[in-house]
Amino acid sequence: MSTRGVKQLANLVISYCEHGGSSRHIREFISSGRVVDIARREPQVEILVTTRNGKHPFIEAEYRTGFDKVVCVKNEPIGRIYKVIDMLNDSSGRKLTKINAPIRTDTPSVQGIWTPMLDIASKEYKIELVED
């Protein structure tokens, strides 16, 4: 996701075990060169592949905003790994906040509140241009 035209994902860290069965798909993902394809597709993102023997695999995203997200990819197929990387790439890294109450503002809209009963399409308005 980009904010004001700047891609928010800065670093992508892929950690896996060299021997563990839960890292089987991520090892195939890395050895088949798919990580290189993603690096070519997203040149502004730094991709780091690390080994953590004896641990389950995960993908960690670090964002320019200072936030980070970690997603476990234990026993996940290659299609799901692609989806996780795309989800992290399309995210801004910010935590989601639930809005429980209606939003009130001190500066109401100049245009007024829209309602479905507002029928302005069939009305004609007189517009005059005033030159100074």
Side-chain angles (χ1 to χ4, degrees):
M1 173 181 241
S2 46
T3 302
R4 297 186 183 104
V6 177
K7 198 77 159 166
Q8 294 300 302
L9 182 61
N11 300 325
L12 198 64
V13 180
I14 301 173
S15 297
Y16 70 100
C17 175
E18 293 175 324
H19 311 290
S22 63
S23 297
R24 179 183 65 227
H25 296 294
I26 196 82
R27 283 194 307 267
E28 181 184 340
F29 182 80
I30 294 166
S31 65
S32 65
R34 292 183 173 122
V35 172
V36 177
D37 295 339
I38 291 173
R40 284 191 187 123
R41 190 180 74 201
E42 301 292 338
Q44 70 278 5
V45 178
E46 180 182 334
I47 298 177
L48 177 66
V49 178
T50 62
T51 58
R52 291 182 62 222
N53 288 330
K55 306 288 183 184
H56 290 301
F58 64 87
I59 300 174
E60 180 180 7
E62 298 169 358
Y63 296 92
R64 298 190 195 290
T65 55
F67 295 106
D68 62 340
K69 287 186 179 179
V70 179
V71 179
C72 178
V73 287
K74 175 178 76 171
N75 295 323
E76 296 289 353
I78 291 177
R80 170 76 175 134
I81 293 170
Y82 271 121
K83 286 183 182 179
V84 166
I85 291 174
D86 286 341
M87 182 267 303
L88 292 171
N89 191 23
D90 293 341
S91 175
S92 68
R94 287 187 229 124
K95 306 291 183 205
L96 297 178
T97 56
K98 184 177 180 182
I99 300 173
N100 293 327
I103 297 175
R104 304 287 182 200
T105 180
D106 293 333
T107 55
S109 172
V110 175
Q111 299 173 350
I113 298 173
W114 181 87
T115 65
M117 301 301 170
L118 190 63
D119 185 24
I120 60 171
S122 63
K123 296 182 182 177
E124 292 186 24
Y125 296 96
K126 183 179 176 186
I127 299 173
E128 294 180 16
L129 297 175
V130 178
E131 295 183 19
D132 289 332

